[in-house]
Amino acid sequence: MNTNELWEKCLSEVELNISKANFTTWFKNTSIIKEEAGTLYVGVPNEFVKDWLYNKFHKLILKTIIGHEEGVRSIEYVIHKNETTPNKNIEAIKQININKELPLNDLYLNKDDNLNPKYNFNSFVVGPFNELAYAVAQAIITNPGQNYNPFFVYGGTGLGKTHMIQAIGNTIKTKYPNKKIYYVSLERFAIDYINSIQNKNPNSFKEKYRKYDVIIMDDIQFISGKDKTQEELFHLFNTLYENNKQIIFSSDKHPNFIQGLEERLQSRFASGMTVQIVEPDYESRIAIIKAKFESTNCIIEEEITAYLAEILDGNIRELEGSLNTIICQSQLKNKSLSLNEIKILIKNNIKPKKTVAIKDIVTIIANYYGISDEIIYEKTRRKEIVRARQVAMYILREDFNISYPLIGSKLGGRDHTTAIHSHLKIKDDLKTDPALLQEIEKIRIMFK
Ligand code: ADP
Ligand code: MG
């Protein structure tokens, strides 16, 4: 394999392991310059990329390269100004930019504040699953920066975090036209910060972010492993907070479970109001389905609403996807669809319902390992029991999104740290143990 091919293979694997934004930022204009005595020299455009690749991605790069070229022992990053990037690489990078999702609605994004008017509270359904977060949001709108600061919303994907925090921004904007509001994803914030350093202008970055009255930062979990960004966010947080500026965060996890989050940030994130949004219950799903159909002027029968609420699970983004399929078809056919037609249409969208009780899951796993389920709850440290217990904890977390404290307490009154440890242990073992992967796949089939 020549070095160009080797690098392309490596890049295509690296791309699968990191975010698109990271990939484009750090791997654009890189190439292999030469291989000499087991050392591979990777050309990079500047000092900054060199440090970053070395500090953040070295292990990943080395592992990937060795997977293709066993003879490589080490990698050096060297600054290489000439445009030696193979054309295909540039193509690949362009492709990534083009493929980036650009929903139509993003066209309406206001560039000064990144708020999208489609996210407002008129179209937001409130139910037991999100009512606490909603109440806090309303209190913030009444008095930004005063009571609930910071506001930290967390919950699984597609449950309405972005919608909610954007809607807070939009409402404050209408109510207080003089307030400066800014919505930013953590990934964007990190890139902004890096660019400011690359352009040797960190002060412009500091000034920009310190001038807002309301900062809304989405998907803060991506701060994992970005140490410099954490440092910067910490200082920004303190300045804004001391000046009573409203700070709003979203994350897919509670701050205590964001990997690699410094303690001082963890405690600051959780120092205001921390609220979880969970999956919508049945009645809320009904309300969401009705609201979505109404907004497109489609008529839907009660029977069909009930059916959809029953079979579609709690991820609102996916639920919207299924509803859109139905709406599209009905517009194409220019008539309302019958229940039967709908059943056929969305057959593929139905995932196995994940409402199984924890106890039943444990029983299934115990059966699979040929042990009695009582033993799993007991304190036994026998190796095979410990393993089955760990697998159970892993599956409860990974597939059923059960919280660590709940897993711990349900599985014999254990501490949440035991649940975390088990989850991570199995996750880690899976990387090197194909037999374990097969076991887990077999267990999963039993839940389908
Ligand atoms: P998250 O940020 O938690 O992944 P989003 O905010 O992107 O989720 O929500 C996913 C989709 O579901 C969006 O199109 C959003 O408008 C819609 N949605 C979420 N929550 C609600 C809700 N409570 N009422 C109506 N639509 C909602
Ligand atoms: Mg989101």
Side-chain angles (χ1 to χ4, degrees):
M1 201 184 304
N2 71 30
T3 49
N4 281 350
E5 268 178 73
L6 175 60
W7 193 233
E8 296 222 343
K9 282 229 159 74
C10 175
L11 286 181
S12 55
E13 275 174 42
V14 166
E15 196 189 331
L16 296 177
N17 283 292
I18 64 178
S19 74
K20 281 179 188 170
N22 259 329
F23 182 74
T24 356
T25 310
W26 303 115
F27 289 86
K28 195 167 60 184
N29 297 334
T30 58
S31 57
I32 295 182
I33 297 171
K34 61 175 179 183
E35 186 184 350
E36 212 173 75
T39 299
L40 204 62
Y41 293 85
V42 173
V44 298
N46 56 47
E47 189 72 35
F48 196 71
V49 173
K50 177 177 156 181
D51 285 351
W52 202 275
L53 285 185
Y54 186 74
N55 290 326
K56 300 286 169 191
F57 297 114
H58 183 67
K59 259 197 209 151
L60 174 65
I61 297 172
L62 188 63
K63 200 179 95 196
T64 316
I65 290 277
I66 289 176
H68 294 289
E69 194 84 14
E70 285 179 357
V72 174
R73 290 280 155 265
S74 65
I75 294 179
E76 297 275 343
Y77 304 93
V78 289
I79 297 167
H80 193 68
K81 296 272 180 211
N82 301 341
E83 272 299 322
T84 50
T85 320
N87 284 341
K88 258 174 109 184
N89 270 354
I90 295 178
E91 275 309 306
I93 288 160
K94 271 195 200 146
Q95 203 60 36
I96 287 166
N97 282 329
I98 293 166
N99 286 345
K100 251 195 192 152
E101 269 178 53
L102 188 75
L104 202 58
N105 276 310
D106 280 4
L107 298 175
Y108 302 119
L109 262 192
N110 178 329
K111 291 286 170 254
D112 294 331
D113 52 27
N114 293 329
L115 290 173
N116 184 337
K118 88 161 181 175
Y119 293 122
N120 55 61
F121 284 118
N122 297 333
S123 59
F124 193 74
V125 174
V126 181
F129 71 106
N130 64 3
E131 66 188 352
L132 181 56
Y134 178 79
V136 175
Q138 298 312 309
I140 288 173
I141 290 163
T142 312
N143 241 332
Q146 298 303 320
N147 298 327
Y148 298 111
N149 209 14
F151 178 31
F152 193 103
V153 195
Y154 71 99
T157 177
L159 299 183
K161 302 181 298 294
T162 299
H163 190 140
M164 158 154 295
I165 59 180
Q166 279 256 344
I168 299 177
N170 276 316
T171 316
I172 295 183
K173 184 171 157 179
T174 321
K175 200 169 164 199
Y176 311 90
N178 293 330
K179 285 208 186 292
K180 288 198 272 314
I181 306 164
Y182 197 64
Y183 165 94
V184 65
S185 67
L186 188 277
E187 298 247 272
R188 186 70 248 166
F189 177 78
I191 291 173
D192 245 18
Y193 169 62
I194 290 155
N195 284 344
S196 77
I197 293 178
Q198 242 164 349
N199 303 330
K200 304 204 169 36
N201 201 359
N203 283 336
S204 70
F205 171 85
K206 286 191 202 303
E207 278 163 28
K208 170 180 167 184
Y209 280 94
R210 278 160 179 71
K211 73 173 188 239
Y212 296 113
D213 301 303
V214 180
I215 286 256
I216 304 170
M217 218 177 263
D218 208 351
D219 288 322
I220 196 93
Q221 73 273 11
F222 291 127
I223 198 142
S224 294
K226 298 188 174 78
D227 297 349
K228 287 267 167 25
T229 306
Q230 286 203 26
E231 174 83 27
E232 206 47 44
L233 180 58
F234 177 73
H235 296 302
L236 171 65
F237 180 94
N238 289 341
T239 312
L240 294 172
Y241 184 79
E242 280 158 18
N243 290 294
N244 291 329
K245 308 296 192 185
Q246 180 69 48
I247 309 158
I248 300 170
F249 294 116
S250 93
S251 161
D252 68 353
K253 303 178 191 66
H254 187 281
N256 292 356
F257 295 117
I258 300 179
Q259 259 184 15
L261 182 65
E262 286 177 39
E263 224 173 276
R264 55 181 189 169
L265 267 181
Q266 226 176 61
S267 66
R268 282 198 175 43
F269 284 172
S271 65
M273 187 69 180
T274 305
V275 179
Q276 185 180 17
I277 299 186
V278 296
E279 293 198 346
D281 49 289
Y282 177 76
E283 280 75 19
S284 301
R285 294 203 296 275
I286 296 250
I288 293 169
I289 293 166
K290 282 190 168 162
K292 301 283 168 198
F293 276 104
E294 266 162 31
S295 71
T296 54
N297 291 326
C298 273
I299 299 159
I300 182 165
E301 287 166 34
E302 294 291 330
E303 180 198 26
I304 293 181
T305 318
Y307 170 74
L308 292 174
E310 182 69 43
I311 56 149
L312 297 175
D313 70 10
N315 181 328
I316 303 173
R317 187 176 299 119
E318 287 179 6
L319 187 146
E320 278 183 339
S322 302
L323 300 185
N324 284 338
T325 313
I326 296 171
I327 293 167
C328 251
Q329 270 297 314
S330 115
Q331 281 170 349
L332 269 176
K333 294 190 168 167
N334 206 11
K335 69 171 183 81
S336 304
L337 304 183
S338 70
L339 183 57
N340 233 351
E341 284 171 311
I342 287 179
K343 281 184 181 168
I344 294 167
L345 192 58
I346 60 171
K347 206 172 56 208
N348 295 331
N349 294 356
I350 305 172
K351 280 197 292 188
K353 291 253 328 185
K354 296 185 174 175
T355 48
V356 197
I358 294 181
K359 158 170 124 332
D360 298 336
I361 297 170
V362 171
T363 308
I364 287 176
I365 295 172
N367 280 346
Y368 176 82
Y369 285 107
I371 55 183
S372 94
D373 47 358
E374 283 116 61
I375 265 187
I376 291 203
Y377 299 102
E378 288 166 8
K379 296 267 176 256
T380 321
R381 287 183 175 278
R382 258 165 52 209
K383 217 171 136 208
E384 70 273 20
I385 311 288
V386 171
R387 188 57 159 193
R389 192 183 294 130
Q390 285 177 339
V391 168
M393 289 183 166
Y394 171 82
I395 287 183
L396 286 168
R397 178 69 197 172
E398 197 73 14
D399 297 24
F400 297 90
N401 211 9
I402 313 269
S403 75
Y404 288 127
L406 189 62
I407 295 176
S409 77
K410 289 277 182 182
L411 269 78
R414 294 176 158 79
D415 192 66
H416 71 274
T417 52
T418 311
I420 297 176
H421 172 79
S422 301
H423 178 216
L424 297 181
K425 172 88 174 73
I426 297 292
K427 203 168 185 164
D428 218 43
D429 287 356
L430 278 172
K431 290 181 191 147
T432 51
D433 187 350
L436 177 64
L437 184 64
Q438 273 194 356
E439 276 173 34
I440 290 184
E441 287 308 319
K442 282 188 193 146
I443 293 171
R444 280 183 169 140
I445 290 172
M446 296 192 263
F447 295 122
K448 296 225 160 111

